[in-house]
Structure formats: structure tokens, C-alpha cells
């Protein structure tokens, strides 16, 4: 329902209305909530769709969907029975004093379409309770096929019915089902989608593509995590002509609009990556085989050929075309880093051709990065990597550290994304707005609490650079960068360019990952239409671009939330096994509720500290785990003492050796392929 309301906000063409949506559209049109002009339905000017939030005795606020406008206040008598979390259509009330106001005219459903509930005991009685709110889920135990304590159910909030039995909370493998059920995500593809995917040939026959540029003679390679299977991008560099080729999997050759695969890809919009497996946007027949730029096989690609000026490091020319490539070698990040350190040698002639240009490309990308940093930012936040066993319990955690191989690939991809964004004025842009004065002031207040006092340096860039320099002197690089990131707007997709603050780019988009991001697939389709002079195809791609950008931005947040919530559930299970034990931690929130992050034998777990004792932001402390709620994934701990850094330097906690404690210290890592990208 939310998707329908977003599309009606921007305009929904007749042919794009699903059969399941048509009755609602016709009903609302009959109520004169919608206009219908030029085969397009859209909310009439006085109506807005949104989510009811912050309900109180005096009223609530309407968070408008699909538009960046101020929230409308709704008085209690104008709520028409709507509650927090409801999706509604509201009428703007004009001529009222104060801020914008509205009244509800239609309750369309629930914002959170699905929820998960668990059978648990309260006050000595078993009942079914929502795991997010801890409120009764509205079902009697007699309604449930399985009512043993810990039984978990997915609830369809739109229909008020039980959608699925998920298992029991005691089973670690149920955590994955919980986080997917909250957003109604699923791994399996429908039969018609799989049937279509299996109709494609297993290999690429180059003779079938005479119009494509044949680049199979060039020594392309891929550089990815060792566990990767979906290779979106391959690179090749010719130092003699300072020419960089960035070849991207040509998903648009196989996934066409209106088809079953495309419909499923729109629904998913992003691949989801969990510690033990991925849930792909596309069927694995495409994502891990035919589209994936595997080594030593022919593959279709959409390729940027970019010439970089060797003195200014500007891209002075580029060409974009459909191609056929043959990747000479699949490298992991670790292998390329080993090569940089002199610990990896070419194993054959093909590999030698690739490794011959890697040092020159690394030198080029280092210079490109230095130029980028003159306007952009290096936010060194940390990305958690978690390993789990076959039973889906934690084995280890650590914060990923950006290495030279990651940086090399990142800057190659940034260059291609910039080039793609330069080719159109309306489409899909990746935008990141500069922080508001209010957010900056809040940041300065937080920094002052840890003794970093901000003096304006004339520009935001100069001020943030000065803050980062002071944080480095205090050995708080990652922590302070996290605060800076928190003070910014969230990067999102938009149909018009607004620049990218974090990267310092005037124009930017996502072009380089069409296997795992739907935004990139749309960009490929648009660029192909532009290159072919196909105005009809181009206009089709752009027809619902506003609502599409809003939708994929929301799906991106969902995918990210699923990955974060899965980690939280694994941490809660670990904490349940160490009740009463003490661990090193660092205060990450110094106001109610106080939050600390454990940096010990397991690192990254967030715990609520229930005793303050004058705790300050980024204080290093010892906490004792008091409880762990597997249903809500919340961990509580008590404060034991502050850590005396001088005395603790070589001391151990729980009998760890000094070497172990050194290894457990928090790395100052960076999110891979660009923080805020």
C-alpha cells in the first residue's frame, strides 16, 4: 500500500496500476481524492498521503510520503481513529494559524505491513506479543497452531491475520527468518521467475553479438571479497595511454522491463548480505553465473573507456559502449594487498599481464583520491564483519579495515559513476545534501562534551577537517567520524541532481552494481536509450522516476536495517551465554539510555548501561552483562569501573594475554567502497 501511495503522489499511469491496486485507485478517484489527466492518476492538490506518527492526547503528525515537506499536525478530533503507524490520506486544512495542519479522510492500512510476535510469559500468563513494541499482538493462544513459549509468528497487519509460523526463539537459525519476516523478504524466487532465468543460455556466444565491441584481448581482472560470487565490475588499465576501462555486468541485456524477473527485481531492489549468505536481487542463474563477470569466460559488459590526464588527473574524455570481455583473473582483496607487499607473484602469463598494470593503476588512484579529498571527505567509520558457525552462533567479529586494494577499486568505480551522472539531466542521481545548521550545532555540542571545541574555519570542509585532525590527536578517529556522519543527511536517490556532499562531487550516480542494486539497472537502461537516441525508451524509463527513486531509497534502508538487526540478534544470543561476565566497552551515547559498545573478545555489541556514575561520551569502561532479551535483541549491562588506560595497556580481562588484548582493540577501519556512497 505504501508503494501505491508514493506513486500516486508523483503520478501513476493507467498501464502501471497493478490489478490488486485498481479497486483502491477507482474508489479514491470516486471520492475526488485523485485527479486523472493524460492517463495519469495523482493526488489532488489539497490531499497528501503519509504516516501518522508521534500521536499524543492533543493529536499527531503526518509524515508525508514521497515529498520533502514539513510534517502536518492533525488534531485528535481529525484523526478519524487513525493511530501511530497508520498509512492515511489526509486533506490539508488551509487558513489555520501556526504550522501546516491536516485531517484524515482515509485510513489506507498500516505502515509496517508485517510484524513478528512471540509467545511469552507476562505476569504468569502466556500470550502473543509483538517483538518490537512488547504489546499484545491481538491473537488468543487458541488461534495459534503452535503455542509453546518462544513460538514465533509473522503477522500481516493489513489483513490482521497470521501469515506464517517461523519457528521457536530458542533456535539460533530463526533469527534470519525474523529479520526477513519483518519486511516480508524472501530468498526463494517464484516458479515463473526461475523458469525465465533458466531459459537463458549457460554461456555467452560472442558470434551472437556482432555489434558489441570485442575487448576480450584486454587483460581485465576482478577484485572482490574472497567469498563473493556476484562480480559486478572488472577493470583494465593501459598505462601507456593512461586509459582506464571499467566494465560492468550488462544486466539490462537479460532483464527487460515488464518481465517477471524485472518485477521481482523492483520488489527486492537490493541484494541483502548476511554473514553466512546473500539473498540476491536477481536469480542466481543470473547474479552468480551468466551476468557475473567470472574469470576465464566471455561475458557481456557495459563499459566505460576513460582517458585520464596524467598531469591534472582529470578525466578528459570517455566513451561508453556495449562490449564483450574475458576476465583474465579473479583476485581477492587479500591477494592484491599481498602483491603490494611483495608477497604474491604471478602464477601464469595471463596473471602476469594483469599484475603488470596494477602498480601504475594504484599510483593513479592514489592521486585521484588526493584530488578528491580537496573537496570530499574521508569518513573513517567502521564496518562490522561477523563470522557465524553452522548453527548460526557467533564465532568472531571484527571491524573491517580499508586496505590499498579496496581503495584502488573504490576510486575506479567512483570515476565510472561520475561519468555516468554527467550524461543526463533527469534520471537517477545519488545525492547527499550538506548538513543543516541545526545538525551541525548538535554535532558541535557533542564534540564539546569530549573536549573538542569547534571554531569555524570559514567553510564546512575546513571545519570538519580541523575536527578530524583533533580527533586523530586524541585517538578517536572512528568515533568522531561516526558523530560527523550522524550529523549529516542520509544519502538517497533522486530524479534531479543535487550533488554529493560526502564525496565532494557536483554530480554522482550509481552505475557499477546492477547485479545487486536496481538503481544501477535503471541507469544502464537510461544511458542505452540516450546513446541510441531512443526518445520513446528514454521517456518510458523516466515515466515514474520520482516514485521509483523514493521507493528504492526506502528499499535500501530496509536492506541495511535487515543486516543490522541480524547482527543485533546474534549479539543477543552471545550475550545470553555470558551473563555475569565482564567486558571492555566504550560509551557511545552519554544520555538516557546510555549505550556502550563492547570492544573485547567479541566486538561491536551494543549494550544499555543501567548505571551512569558520571559516564562521558567515549569513556572506556568495564561492564558486566546483566541480561539479554532474545525476543527484542536488547542487552543490558551494569557499570563496573572506568579503565585506566595506562594500567590497562598490558593488563588482561578474563585472563586474555596482552597479545590477545592488543588484537581485540578496535581497528580504525572504513566502510568498504565509500562511506555515504
Amino acid at each position: 500500500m505504501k508503494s501505491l501511495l508514493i506513486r500516486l503522489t508523483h503520478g501513476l499511469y493507467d498501464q502501471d496500476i497493478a490489478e490488486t491496486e485498481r479497486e483502491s485507485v477507482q474508489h479514491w478517484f470516486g471520492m475526488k481524492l485523485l485527479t486523472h489527466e493524460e492517463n495519469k492518476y495523482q493526488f489532488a492538490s489539497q490531499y497528501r498521503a503519509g504516516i501518522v506518527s508521534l500521536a499524543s492526547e492533543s493529536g499527531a503528525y503526518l509524515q508525508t510520503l514521497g515529498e520533502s515537506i514539513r510534517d502536518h499536525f492533525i488534531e485528535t478530533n481529525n484523526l478519524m481513529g487513525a493511530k501511530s503507524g497508520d498509512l492515511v490520506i489526509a486533506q490539508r486544512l488551509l487558513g489555520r494559524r501556526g504550522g501546516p495542519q491536516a485531517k484524515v479522510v482515509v485510513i489506507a492500512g498500516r505502515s509496517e505491513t508485517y510484524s513478528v510476535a512471540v509467545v511469552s510469559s507476562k505476569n504468569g500468563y502466556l500470550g502473543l506479543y509483538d517483538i518490537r513494541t512488547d504489546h499484545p499482538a491481538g491473537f488468543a493462544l487458541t488461534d495459534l497452531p503452535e503455542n509453546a513459549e518462544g513460538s514465533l509468528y509473522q503477522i500481516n497487519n493489513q489483513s490482521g491475520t497470521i501469515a506464517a509460523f517461523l519457528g521457536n526463539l530458542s533456535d539460533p537459525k530463526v533469527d534470519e527468518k525474523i529479520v526477513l519476516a519483518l519486511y516480508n523478504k524472501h530468498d526463494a524466487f517464484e516458479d515463473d521467475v526461475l523458469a525465465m532465468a533458466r531459459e537463458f543460455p549457460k554461456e555467452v556466444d560472442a558470434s551472437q553479438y556482432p555489434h558489441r565491441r570485442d575487448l576480450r584481448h584486454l587483460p581485465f581482472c576482478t577484485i572482490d571479497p574472497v567469498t563473493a560470487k556476484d562480480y559486478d565490475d572488472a577493470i583494465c588499465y593501459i598505462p601507456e595511454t593512461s586509459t582506464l576501462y571499467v566494465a560492468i555486468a550488462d544486466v539490462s541485456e537479460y532483464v527487460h522491463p515488464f518481465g517477471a524477473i524485472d518485477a521481482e527485481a523492483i520488489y527486492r531492489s537490493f541484494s541483502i548480505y548476511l554473514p553466512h549468505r546473500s539473498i540476491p536481487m536477481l536469480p542466481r542463474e543470473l547474479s552468480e553465473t551468466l551476468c557475473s563477470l567470472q574469470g576465464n569466460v566471455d561475458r557481456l559488459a557495459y563499459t566505460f573507456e576513460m582517458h585520464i590526464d596524467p598531469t591534472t588527473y582529470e578525466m578528459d574524455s570517455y566513451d561508453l559502449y556495449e562490449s564483450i570481455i574475458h576476465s583474465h583473473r579473479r583476485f581477492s582483496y587479500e591477494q592484491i594487498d599481498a602483491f603490494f607487499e611483495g608477497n604474491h607473484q604471478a602464477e601464469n602469463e595471463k596473471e602476469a599481464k594483469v599484475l603488470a598494470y596494477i602498480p601504475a593503476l594504484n599510483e593513479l588512484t592514489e592521486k585521484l583520491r588526493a584530488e578528491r579529498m580537496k573537496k570530499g571527505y574521508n569518513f573513517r567509520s567502521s564496518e562490522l564483519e561477523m563470522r557465524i558457525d553452522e548453527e548460526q552462533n557467533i564465532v568472531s567479529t571484527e571491524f573491517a579495515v580499508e586496505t590499498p586494494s579496496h581503495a584502488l577499486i573504490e576510486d575506479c568505480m567512483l570515476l565510472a559513476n561520475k561519468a555516468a551522472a554527467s550524461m543526463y539531466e533527469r534520471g537517477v542521481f545519488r545525492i547527499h545534501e550538506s548538513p543543516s545548521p541545526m545538525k551541525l550545532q548538535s554535532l558541535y555540542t557533542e564534540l564539546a562534551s569530549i573536549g573538542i571545541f569547534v571554531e569555524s574555519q570559514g567553510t564546512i570542509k575546513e571545519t570538519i577537517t580541523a575536527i578530524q585532525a583533533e580527533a586523530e590527536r586524541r585517538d578517536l578517529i572512528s568515533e568522531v567520524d561516526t558523530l560527523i556522519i550522524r550529523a549529516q543527511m542520509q544519502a538517497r536517490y533522486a530524479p534531479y541532481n543535487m550533488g554529493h556532499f560526502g564525496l565532494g562531487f557536483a554530480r554522482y550516480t550509481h552505475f557499477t552494481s546492477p547485479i545487486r542494486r536496481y538503481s544501477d539497472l535503471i541507469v544502464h537502461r537510461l544511458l542505452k536509450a540516450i546513446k541510441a537516441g531512443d526518445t520513446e525508451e528514454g521517456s518510458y524509463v523516466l515515466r515514474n522516476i520520482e516514485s521509483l527513486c523514493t521507493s528504492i531509497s526506502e528499499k535500501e534502508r530496509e536492506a541495511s536495517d535487515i543486516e543490522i538487526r541480524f547482527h543485533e540478534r546474534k549479539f543477543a544470543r552471545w550475550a545470553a551465554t555470558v551473563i555475569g561476565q565482564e567486558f571492555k566497552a566504550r560509551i557511545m551515547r552519554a544520555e538516557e539510555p546510555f549505550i556502550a559498545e563492547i570492544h573485547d573478545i567479541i566486538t561491536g555489541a551494543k549494550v544499555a548501561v543501567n548505571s551512569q556514575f558520571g559516564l562521558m561520551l567515549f569513556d572506556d569502561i568495564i561492564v558486566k552483562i546483566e541480561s539479554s532479551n532474545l525476543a527484542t535483541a536488547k542487552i543490558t549491562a551494569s557499570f563496573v569501573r572506568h579503565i585506566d588506560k595506562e594500567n590497562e595497556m598490558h593488563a588482561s580481562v578474563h585472563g586474555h594475554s596482552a597479545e590477545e588484548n592488543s588484537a581485540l582493540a578496535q581497528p580504525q577501519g572504513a566502510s568498504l567502497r565509500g562511506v555515504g556512497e
Side-chain angles (χ1 to χ4, degrees), residues 379 443 447 464 467-468 479-488:
F379 295 127
L443 169 65
L447 292 171
I464 289 179
I467 292 170
Q468 289 179 311
E479 290 81 2
V480 169
D481 276 359
T482 298
L483 293 182
I484 297 171
I485 292 169
R486 200 187 300 165
Q488 297 177 42

Side-chain angles (χ1 to χ4, degrees), residues 122-180:
K122 293 189 186 301
N123 301 318
Y125 296 95
L126 287 178
L128 189 67
Y129 296 91
D130 189 299
I131 64 169
R132 276 178 167 167
T133 65
D134 207 27
H135 294 161
F139 296 87
L141 291 184
T142 53
D143 297 333
L144 309 178
E146 175 60 60
N147 56 23
E149 188 165 7
S151 297
L152 287 156
Y153 291 90
Q154 182 190 36
I155 309 298
N156 185 329
N157 296 323
Q158 297 289 77
S159 61
T161 58
I162 292 174
F165 171 64
L166 302 177
N168 195 279
L169 194 59
S170 61
D171 181 5
K173 293 181 179 178
V174 84
D175 293 336
E176 179 184 322
K177 295 180 181 180
I178 292 172
V179 296
L180 295 178

Side-chain angles (χ1 to χ4, degrees), residues 379-397:
F379 295 127
R380 296 149 294 185
S381 66
S382 300
E383 182 174 294
L384 183 74
E385 292 185 345
M386 176 182 287
R387 289 181 58 235
I388 59 178
D389 60 22
E390 291 183 358
E391 296 303 313
Q392 295 193 21
N393 288 310
I394 290 179
V395 173
S396 65
T397 62

Side-chain angles (χ1 to χ4, degrees), residues 20 22 38 104 141 145 171 215-216 257 266 290 306 331 402 421 450 535 560 580 600 625 630 641:
T20 55
R22 194 165 295 279
E38 298 179 351
V104 173
L141 291 184
D171 181 5
L215 302 180
R216 288 177 292 173
I266 292 174
L290 188 58
M306 300 173 283
F331 289 107
E402 185 181 84
I450 58 171
T535 55
S560 175
D600 209 297
I625 304 296
L630 297 185
R641 61 184 171 86

Side-chain angles (χ1 to χ4, degrees), residues 498-523:
M498 297 177 66
H500 197 293
F501 170 77
L503 293 172
F505 291 163
R507 305 172 72 89
Y508 189 65
T509 190
H510 276 168
F511 169 86
T512 56
S513 296
I515 291 177
R516 61 186 179 91
R517 293 189 304 225
Y518 195 78
S519 55
D520 304 48
L521 177 56
I522 290 295
V523 170

